[in-house]
Amino acid sequence: MTKYVVAPDSFKESMTAKEVCDAMEKGIKIVDKDAQVIKVPMADGGEGTVDSLVDATHGQRITVEVTLGGSSTNDGGSGMAQALGAKLLDKNNHQISFGGGSLDKLDKIDISNLDSRLQDVRIILASDVTNPLIGEDGASRVFSPQKGATPEMVEKLENNLQHYAKIIKRDLNKDIAMVAGSGAAGGLGAGLMAFTTCEMRQGVDIAIEVTKLEDKIRTADYVFTGEGGTDSQTKFGKTPYGVSKLGKKYHKPVISLAGYLGEGIESLYSEGFTAIFGIIPGACDLPTALKNGPSNVARTTENIVRLLKY
């Protein structure tokens, strides 16, 4: 009996990681009816991470309504800090307004009223990126244009985060400006590092640990993984890269599927990837590609297994 471990991430706006697993299993079983398919829905700290960890631990979701936005809030985690009781004060000892656009008004930080419960909480910061808070690879210059910031907004946000980082270093004695991952989610990583005793880890490493993926890959014959889009950035902490490292460790073939293939994928073959396949069969619009994701994954997996079993 051939053992397949399928450990994909979600395909954004098309399939959850669990749905990708099911589609891969369907494709495998068409060809190899007696196959043992071990399904391990994965994530890397980005979209789908909560689902992956809840599934792996049989946990539950707890939903709370908050004032803060998503990762489009380029405020270095300052809004989170204010919600936890930190006072971000201007030169007149007034709280500054919410948002990254107000950080240039920051004069001092007062954490005397920070929520005391934080002392008894273990916070693990899971991230799918290694970007620092500031600089050319920082939150403002890399991510804010993706969320609609104009060039002028980008420069203001960058300057404000630089100022914010200096005040944090002076008042909290934490130099978080260039720490890997501090630029995640609009700089939320930096805020967590500055105002809590969080432990920073790559999201995919947490998912690998919680799902016990290494034990499963150790005894596999073939490993399948995948993500919505694969390019040169995949090797910076994305799910398929984490899976490929384990495959390389145990000398297992690792086959990755993607909705689209971008520039630089040739650099991934030396990182443990055996082969990388796009799943789109021909020219089509994006809504059609997203809708047909499960059937495209199943068909592509089927064809790969036909070759493996030839």
Side-chain angles (χ1 to χ4, degrees), residues 11 41 58 69 83-84 95 114 151 173 177 180 193 205 209 211 229 234 253 258 265 280 290:
F11 281 44
H58 306 290
L84 291 173
Q95 282 266 30
L114 199 64
N173 197 31
M193 294 173 190
D205 292 335
E209 179 182 307
T211 60
T234 292
I265 64 169
I280 307 300
L290 296 176

Side-chain angles (χ1 to χ4, degrees), residues 165-186:
K166 289 177 182 177
I167 301 298
I168 287 174
K169 184 177 181 180
R170 185 196 71 194
D171 291 0
L172 304 182
N173 197 31
K174 292 186 178 181
D175 190 356
I176 45 80
M178 299 304 297
V179 177
S182 61

Side-chain angles (χ1 to χ4, degrees), residues 2-288:
T2 305
K3 180 178 178 180
Y4 301 81
V5 171
V6 296
D9 203 336
S10 62
F11 281 44
K12 190 173 183 180
E13 298 181 21
S14 178
M15 297 166 281
T16 66
K18 183 181 289 187
E19 289 170 337
V20 181
C21 285
D22 291 341
M24 287 179 168
E25 180 184 42
K26 181 179 179 180
I28 291 168
K29 290 283 191 176
I30 290 173
V31 182
D32 193 350
K33 294 179 172 57
D34 297 324
Q36 180 185 10
V37 181
I38 308 298
K39 296 186 287 185
V40 190
M42 290 290 292
D44 56 17
E47 183 177 353
T49 299
V50 172
D51 291 327
S52 178
L53 297 182
V54 168
D55 290 341
T57 61
H58 306 290
Q60 63 176 340
R61 284 175 170 266
I62 299 176
T63 303
V64 179
E65 185 173 334
V66 299
T67 303
L68 303 170
S71 61
S72 60
T73 305
N74 200 93
D75 70 347
S78 58
M80 174 211 68
Q82 289 170 306
L84 291 173
K87 294 180 180 179
L88 306 184
L89 305 172
D90 63 19
K91 62 182 179 180
N92 296 315
N93 279 333
H94 296 143
Q95 282 266 30
I96 64 172
S97 301
F98 294 133
S102 299
L103 289 174
D104 58 332
K105 305 294 193 302
L106 180 62
D107 185 64
K108 61 184 174 182
I109 297 173
D110 178 358
I111 60 170
S112 59
N113 290 320
L114 199 64
D115 197 316
S116 61
R117 292 175 296 178
L118 287 171
Q119 299 174 13
D120 301 317
V121 175
R122 182 187 180 203
I123 298 176
I124 299 175
L125 176 55
S127 176
D128 62 339
V129 300
T130 56
N131 300 72
L133 179 64
I134 62 175
E136 291 303 313
D137 296 321
S140 299
R141 293 203 169 115
V142 173
F143 301 120
S144 65
Q146 300 172 7
K147 310 298 183 180
T150 64
E152 293 76 19
M153 292 177 184
V154 170
E155 288 309 304
K156 179 174 176 58
L157 291 169
E158 170 66 15
N159 291 334
N160 287 4
L161 286 183
Q162 289 183 13
H163 174 69
Y164 176 60
K166 289 177 182 177
I167 301 298
I168 287 174
K169 184 177 181 180
R170 185 196 71 194
D171 291 0
L172 304 182
N173 197 31
K174 292 186 178 181
D175 190 356
I176 45 80
M178 299 304 297
V179 177
S182 61
L188 179 61
L192 285 165
M193 294 173 190
F195 294 94
T196 77
T197 56
C198 71
E199 174 189 351
M200 176 68 179
R201 296 182 62 190
Q202 285 203 321
V204 67
D205 292 335
I206 295 172
I208 286 171
E209 179 182 307
V210 171
T211 60
K212 297 180 172 58
L213 181 63
E214 184 165 356
D215 290 339
K216 297 175 174 69
I217 286 180
R218 185 184 290 113
T219 58
D221 293 299
Y222 299 103
V223 180
F224 280 75
T225 186
E227 61 182 338
T230 294
D231 56 24
S232 60
Q233 295 300 304
T234 292
K235 61 185 175 184
F236 295 107
K238 300 296 185 180
T239 287
Y241 178 66
V243 175
S244 74
K245 287 195 298 183
L246 287 179
K248 186 175 184 179
K249 179 178 179 179
Y250 293 104
H251 307 288
K252 306 295 182 178
V254 177
I255 300 154
S256 188
L257 278 59
Y260 73 88
L261 302 179
E263 296 293 328
I265 64 169
E266 61 277 358
S267 66
L268 300 177
Y269 293 116
S270 62
E271 303 291 342
F273 289 83
T274 304
I276 304 169
F277 293 87
I279 65 170
I280 307 300
C284 67
D285 57 31
L286 181 59
T288 300

